Amino acid sequence: MTVTPGDIATTTLTVRNDSDIVEAYDLTVVGDCAAWTTVEPARVSLYPGTSETVTLRLEPPRSPEIRAGEMPLGVRVLPNEHPDAVRVLETTVHVGKFRELRTELSPRRRRGWLRGRYLLAVRNQGNTPVRVRFTPGQAGEELAFAFDPAQPKLEPGESAEVRLRVRTAKPVWFGAPAVWPFTVDATEAVEQEEPAEARGDDPVVRPPLDAEFVQIPIFPKWLLVLLAALLALLLAWFALVRPAVRSAAEEAATEAVQPRPTPAGEQEAGGEGAPGTGGATDSPGGGGQEPGAAAPGTGGGGSGSAAGGGIAAGGRQSSETIDLKTRTGATESGTYKVPENSVFGVTDIVVANFQGDEGVLTISFGDRKITTIALETFRNQDYHWVTPIEIPENDTVTISVTCAKPGTPATGRQASECHEVLNVSGVLGTTAR
């Protein structure tokens, strides 16, 4: 007899009393089918020479535990009066095939630039081994699908996890995200044509699984807004700020190179009159004298300026540069000597440590130490005086450097020695005699 799990099948069994007494018989189902087979009635009483037909009812559940195929069915008939005459009647039950697949897809929604990963859980709820085939569906051709493994084989009650990779052909550069809905259908892969009776009943048809892939743009909206703001700031810099800064720098440079006005005392000393006339009225004892007459013993205003080491008329702007290189761990000096019959009135000095060296730098005018600086505290340093510092003839402007560690210039390679440059500017005039 044949029965399909989930259905009901019946058959009959006839019990006959061939003894010479009244006998009661107990009927019990034994074997693999006993869990889902019943006999009605389960007990019969018969007179000698009579018989009765009982019904066997088979109700196998629709479960993968009830495997398809041949299963033995036995009914034990036990006489109450003669238990030693017990008999077991046997037959074979053919359990039919049924197919049922359960699938789950997670997550149902995935976000990404080009690809998304999903997980398919599939379980064989049928009672026969199957090979599962997955069929994706999408309205267009924007997505490509890959299943790993592609066609898993499952025994009854067995489960498997299948990785699904979804990929788009082109990226979305700007704008809103693109939403690509798709479906996944799981069916049995038929390897060869089987007769209808071998295939069993039709599989349970479940709707395809719905999912979607949200393709996000490579450049989000906030990044575009930020780039637009940066571009606007850059344009504003080139259009408004840079010209103003450049103009201010040019004005400052022009003002720096213009000659400084000569002090009032020097203008009087260099006037068109005879030497000494400019300072006659201010000299002690010079009151009431005629212009051009010198005070007694003073030799005129010019002689007084020479005695004080002043600069005579006709001074000119002058600038000198001292370029000094010093070995590591050594102390070197560089000098500029004021020419004979000259006085150098220093108004500005600029010292450059363009390599970023480390050590100590000292600047001296003759025997006077002007300043001592740690090299690592600056790259460019400048000093300015309203009243010039006068350096007499044959005296020197000296820069002394003790090199502790050479720095790294703009080339990016550490220098082998320290290198400093001093520029000293002022008025170079002749000594009044």
Side-chain angles (χ1 to χ4, degrees):
M1 60 178 302
T2 301
V3 63
T4 301
D7 294 340
I8 300 175
T10 60
T11 187
T12 60
L13 174 66
T14 301
V15 180
R16 181 180 176 83
N17 184 6
D18 291 330
S19 67
D20 53 359
I21 63 173
V22 177
E23 185 67 89
Y25 299 92
D26 292 326
L27 290 85
T28 306
V29 179
V30 295
D32 295 338
C33 305
W36 37 269
T37 303
T38 58
V39 56
E40 298 176 358
R43 182 184 178 91
V44 296
S45 296
L46 301 175
Y47 288 101
T50 62
S51 62
E52 185 175 344
T53 300
V54 297
T55 301
L56 296 177
R57 184 182 180 91
L58 289 77
E59 297 181 77
R62 192 176 180 87
S63 168
E65 296 179 358
I66 310 301
R67 301 291 294 265
E70 304 291 335
M71 298 182 67
L73 172 63
V75 179
R76 182 177 61 188
V77 181
L78 177 63
N80 293 156
E81 299 296 332
H82 300 86
D84 54 339
V86 63
R87 294 186 60 188
V88 177
L89 304 178
E90 295 182 353
T91 186
T92 301
V93 177
H94 178 77
V95 180
K97 297 179 180 180
F98 74 94
R99 295 176 173 83
E100 182 178 350
L101 292 175
R102 290 185 182 180
T103 54
E104 292 182 3
L105 178 63
S106 63
R108 291 297 181 94
R109 181 185 178 94
R110 180 72 81 177
R111 296 167 60 89
W113 285 315
L114 288 175
R115 61 178 64 88
R117 297 177 181 271
Y118 302 81
L119 190 63
L120 272 166
V122 57
R123 177 179 173 84
N124 180 12
Q125 287 292 101
N127 66 347
T128 183
V130 296
R131 186 175 295 278
V132 185
R133 178 181 60 190
F134 300 99
T135 305
Q138 197 234 339
E141 298 182 355
E142 294 83 4
L143 300 180
F145 302 88
F147 297 91
D148 183 22
Q151 293 187 359
K153 185 176 182 180
L154 302 177
E155 295 294 326
E158 186 179 3
S159 302
E161 290 185 347
V162 178
R163 293 178 294 274
L164 168 61
R165 294 188 296 272
V166 177
R167 180 182 176 88
T168 59
K170 298 180 181 179
V172 175
W173 295 102
F174 305 100
V179 180
W180 309 112
F182 63 92
T183 60
V184 177
D185 191 14
T187 58
E188 179 185 359
V190 180
E191 299 181 358
Q192 59 183 3
E193 195 66 26
E194 294 181 337
E197 59 274 11
R199 290 198 301 268
D201 62 351
D202 294 332
V204 176
V205 178
R206 297 183 180 274
L209 300 174
D210 295 321
E212 62 183 15
F213 175 62
V214 180
Q215 186 178 7
I216 58 178
I218 301 297
F219 300 104
K221 293 182 179 179
W222 64 264
L223 182 58
L224 297 179
V225 174
L226 179 61
L227 292 176
L230 292 177
L231 181 60
L233 291 175
L234 189 62
L235 293 176
W237 163 264
F238 281 102
L240 301 176
V241 180
R242 187 185 181 191
V245 173
R246 189 171 184 177
S247 176
E250 290 177 352
E251 291 178 1
T254 302
E255 182 180 355
V257 300
Q258 287 180 350
R260 295 178 179 270
T262 306
E266 295 181 6
Q267 290 180 356
E268 293 176 0
E272 293 182 359
T277 59
T281 57
D282 292 334
S283 300
Q289 297 184 9
E290 293 295 329
T298 61
S303 298
S305 176
I311 303 174
R316 60 181 176 83
Q317 292 289 329
S318 179
S319 178
E320 299 294 337
T321 299
I322 302 174
D323 193 317
L324 178 63
K325 295 182 179 180
T326 309
R327 293 174 287 103
T328 304
T331 300
E332 302 287 346
S333 299
T335 61
Y336 161 69
K337 184 177 181 181
V338 178
E340 293 186 358
N341 301 324
S342 300
V343 175
F344 193 14
V346 179
T347 57
D348 306 274
I349 60 174
V350 178
V351 59
N353 176 20
F354 58 90
Q355 293 185 161
D357 301 330
E358 297 181 12
V360 178
L361 177 144
T362 301
I363 300 175
S364 302
F365 292 170
D367 296 333
R368 290 172 292 178
K369 182 184 294 185
I370 301 301
T371 184
T372 298
I373 323 171
L375 290 174
E376 54 267 25
T377 61
F378 74 98
R379 286 297 181 99
N380 288 282
Q381 186 78 308
D382 57 319
Y383 299 89
H384 309 281
W385 294 273
V386 175
T387 302
I389 299 178
E390 296 183 356
I391 304 175
E393 60 181 337
N394 297 323
D395 222 337
T396 59
V397 176
T398 304
I399 174 176
S400 176
V401 174
T402 300
C403 178
K405 179 183 178 180
T408 304
T411 59
R413 180 180 299 176
Q414 185 176 8
S416 59
E417 56 186 358
C418 296
H419 189 181
E420 278 65 46
V421 177
L422 174 69
N423 180 270
V424 56
S425 301
V427 178
L428 183 65
T430 57
T431 306
R433 297 294 183 182

